[in-house]
DNA sequence: TGAACATATGAGCATTCATTCATTTGATTT
DNA sequence: AAATCAAATGAATGAATGCTCATATGTTCA
């Protein structure tokens, strides 16, 4: 938790003499940019949301249009209940919103950040050199 | 599964007459850009890898330096076994690699794609307007 | 008001998953 | 060879999770 020396001169993986069972310089280097607990929680929360096929496909489906629950249910071939449960989760994470119109709830992405983030991720993982 | 008309003229959310219980035009629009099953699997696989705090922190720790298992264990305050199990998972997903040097296994990120993807994600979720 | 429809939600269940514990493997050192 | 150290791994366990089923809520329409 507390700070060690910022001695980073030993830049390569070579060990000079007898290491004390770990590698403090490298640990110190790694520690410099470690995300805080809060950041870790936010990141994993978002990644967790996209780590499930149903939720990921919901986000993907909402990229270019809004859809009601039944539309999503039809499109994804999942039960209304399953979709609704996942939508609630995405709502609470503020990844989607909805507006009511009569009997229908029309869901759409929360904002362009969500859209951008998903599109970037998709592009990145689809890029040919990977 | 088969194709409906690509009639996208009705661009807003307004409904013209009697909808047949769902909204086929919007479903058709959404369907155009839906990821394939293979893509869904690849995406969720990667997101799942980053959806766990331990694994996410491992990736973060390896952003700027390589580390051995014991270093990671110390740095993250997790048992050697827990870290080792997660490293195996990350290895199989080709997010990290390792080289042996004596008794130590030094782990590092698999390639710059991993580094870039994580950095971008982190930047995006940290951007002030979000 | 009553029926049908769209959605939301609680409980239950089966599966997945992250950790621990015990043990094994492999390398170095004496 | 024996002891020690670093890492890997299998089994077990408890927690989290995603779905189904049944039901509730709320809206429209006859």
């Amino acid at each position: 938790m507390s700070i060690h020396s910022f001695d980073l001169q030993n830049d390569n993986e070579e060990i000079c003499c007898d290491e004390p069972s770990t590698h403090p310089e490298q640990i110190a280097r790694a520690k410099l940019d470690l995300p805080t607990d809060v950041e870790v929680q936010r990141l994993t929360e978002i990644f967790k949301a996209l780590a499930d096929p149903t939720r990921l496909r919901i986000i993907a489906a909402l990229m270019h249009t809004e859809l009601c629950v039944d539309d999503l249910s039809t499109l994804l071939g999942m039960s209304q209940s399953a979709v609704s449960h996942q939508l609630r989760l995405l709502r609470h994470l503020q990844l989607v919103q909805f507006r009511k119109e009569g009997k229908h709830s029309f869901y759409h992405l929360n904002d362009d950040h969500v859209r951008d983030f998903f599109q970037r991720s998709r592009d990145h993982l689809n890029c040919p050199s990977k």
Side-chain angles (χ1 to χ4, degrees), chain A:
Chain A
M1 199 64 82
S2 64
I3 303 309
H4 305 67
S5 79
F6 293 104
D7 181 355
L8 300 181
Q9 84 237 2
N10 191 10
D11 244 25
N12 47 26
E13 66 278 357
E14 156 176 29
I15 284 95
C16 51
C17 29
D18 56 334
E19 72 270 282
S21 108
T22 56
H23 309 87
E25 335 78 38
Q26 273 147 297
I27 292 184
R29 179 130 36 108
K31 204 179 285 190
L32 289 181
D33 197 32
L34 268 197
T36 64
D37 289 355
V38 176
E39 198 186 345
V40 168
Q41 215 212 330
R42 283 219 314 167
L43 283 163
T44 54
E45 218 172 51
I46 302 301
F47 285 132
K48 210 172 290 188
L50 297 170
D52 173 73
T54 302
R55 287 191 297 266
L56 183 116
R57 289 163 74 219
I58 289 175
I59 298 293
L62 297 178
M63 283 293 280
H64 303 114
T65 184
E66 63 176 4
L67 291 167
C68 73
V69 179
D70 193 48
D71 291 341
L72 281 165
S73 174
T74 301
L75 183 62
L76 305 183
M78 311 272 315
S79 75
Q80 176 267 322
S81 181
V83 170
S84 195
H85 275 295
Q86 300 299 359
L87 282 171
R88 180 171 54 159
L89 211 153
L90 293 173
R91 236 163 48 216
H92 289 148
L93 290 174
Q94 301 190 308
L95 297 182
V96 305
Q97 282 179 329
F98 73 110
R99 72 183 172 85
K100 303 279 274 191
E101 184 177 307
K103 290 179 287 190
H104 294 271
S105 293
F106 286 93
Y107 279 83
H108 55 96
L109 298 186
N110 199 74
D111 56 39
D112 282 337
H113 284 91
V114 178
R115 201 181 324 275
D116 290 353
F117 179 74
F118 183 71
Q119 190 60 53
R120 276 179 184 282
S121 302
R122 208 177 156 184
D123 290 346
H124 198 135
L125 297 180
N126 279 332
C127 87
S129 63
K130 172 71 184 127

